[in-house]
Amino acid sequence: MVQTETASAPSKESTSPEVRVAIASLGAIGLKLAQELDAGIPGYRLVAVSARTPDAAAERMNSFKTSVPVLPIEELEPHADLVIECAPSALFPEIATPFLKAGKSVIALSAGALLDNEQLRDIAAAHGGRIIVPSGALLGLDAVAAAAEGNIESVRMITRKPVRGLLGAPYLKRNGIDLTGITEPMKVFEGSAREAAAGFPANLNVAVALSLAGVGPDRTTLEIWADPDLTRNTHSIQVISDSANLEMKIENIPSENPKTGRITAQSVLAVLRKMNASLSVGT
């Protein structure tokens, strides 16, 4: 049974070794993570969620083993040590700021929102907070980060998506690009990762993660293609550096949300396990 009223905050004297986790937004990714935490991940305990429709969120968690309150975003921080942000990017500052000011951790899936809210990095640094961007739908970010310790000459990414995964993007609306009825692949964007994040906020967090690992959002270049024959999101990446030339390709199976791959939620689970592991593999 799930509560929808505000629960009292846990005592600061609590000696529980478990990390208390809140999930901001209970969409396809948030619900998957909530289910995994409810099933049990050693060292972590789900203590609260937020959702646009609390009653619907409560109903989705009716089968959970433990009672989890559905709280407004502004009430999450006192209850948790870490928040997993799975919300629309516009809500990112509202979710992250209280946790960072309290010296806590934020796992950010709306990586693109970091580019418009760079003050959050300063807040984290000033208060001992931490922003963690999972690999999400990409591979090879460890290698890109390692290459960035030397000199990276260029980073280029080509993203191809099923048409329905791009519908509603602000860039398409602003530029009058109509994908209805296209019968062959159509390039809809070419530019920097920063420009892509602004024009496709629900689609291109992967490009921002790549840029943050490498040469930054203004030097990371990107093409976006709408392909009516595709059923999976695909990303091809080329990195040229003084230590290694990297070529990577990934095809993601979409989740219930066509804009997001299944592996996104799994990458968050991998982050949680790595944070609490005695053996850590990867940079």
Side-chain angles (χ1 to χ4, degrees):
M1 191 69 182
V2 179
Q3 308 171 36
T4 57
E5 69 272 8
T6 301
S8 58
S11 167
K12 290 185 178 180
E13 278 89 31
S14 173
T15 57
S16 172
E18 293 180 312
V19 175
R20 299 169 301 157
V21 180
I23 297 177
S25 188
L26 210 64
I29 295 175
L31 180 61
K32 172 64 175 177
L33 295 172
Q35 290 168 336
E36 293 290 338
L37 284 161
D38 181 66
I41 298 178
Y44 297 94
R45 177 165 54 94
L46 179 64
V47 296
V49 303
S50 68
R52 182 168 47 189
T53 52
D55 290 343
E59 185 175 347
R60 298 181 85 181
M61 295 189 294
N62 266 338
S63 62
F64 279 24
K65 295 186 298 184
T66 56
S67 176
V68 182
V70 183
L71 305 176
I73 285 172
E74 61 271 16
E75 295 181 18
L76 290 177
E77 183 276 316
H79 296 262
D81 307 303
L82 176 153
V83 64
I84 304 173
E85 176 274 316
C86 311
S89 59
L91 297 176
F92 181 72
E94 185 179 353
I95 294 165
T97 300
F99 280 85
L100 298 176
K101 284 187 174 179
K104 298 177 179 181
S105 297
V106 177
I107 295 180
L109 293 184
S110 296
L114 285 169
L115 302 185
D116 293 325
N117 297 278
E118 295 188 1
Q119 77 280 1
L120 293 175
R121 300 193 210 185
D122 297 331
I123 292 172
H127 296 276
R130 190 179 181 202
I131 303 170
I132 302 163
V133 178
S135 297
L138 287 187
L139 76 168
L141 291 188
D142 282 2
V144 177
E149 293 293 329
N151 180 57
I152 294 180
E153 180 180 327
S154 64
V155 179
R156 184 169 184 80
M157 176 174 169
I158 299 175
T159 289
R160 298 178 183 272
K161 285 179 172 279
V163 171
R164 69 188 187 120
L166 290 168
L167 296 178
Y171 181 89
L172 300 183
K173 291 182 178 180
R174 285 199 306 268
N175 291 276
I177 299 174
D178 184 6
L179 300 180
T180 305
I182 66 170
T183 58
E184 58 185 30
M186 176 179 177
K187 184 166 72 172
V188 298
F189 173 87
E190 184 169 7
S192 71
R194 185 184 300 277
E195 294 167 330
F200 301 85
N203 299 95
L204 270 304
N205 289 306
V206 289
V208 175
L210 175 65
S211 74
L212 293 176
V215 294
D218 298 307
R219 291 181 55 202
T220 301
T221 61
L222 184 69
E223 288 182 17
I224 303 172
W225 291 73
D227 191 330
D229 295 324
L230 284 182
T231 59
R232 299 182 179 183
N233 301 326
T234 69
H235 308 289
S236 300
I237 301 163
Q238 182 183 64
V239 179
I240 299 176
S241 77
D242 62 355
S243 59
N245 292 338
L246 311 173
E247 290 191 9
M248 300 168 279
K249 181 177 180 180
I250 184 168
E251 296 183 0
N252 292 308
I253 299 172
S255 66
E256 290 81 356
N257 179 350
K259 295 179 173 62
T260 307
R262 293 183 189 178
I263 200 169
T264 301
Q266 293 174 204
S267 77
V268 176
L269 296 173
V271 166
L272 292 175
R273 297 187 196 281
K274 187 173 183 179
M275 289 173 63
N276 206 31
S278 57
L279 172 64
S280 180
V281 179
T283 300

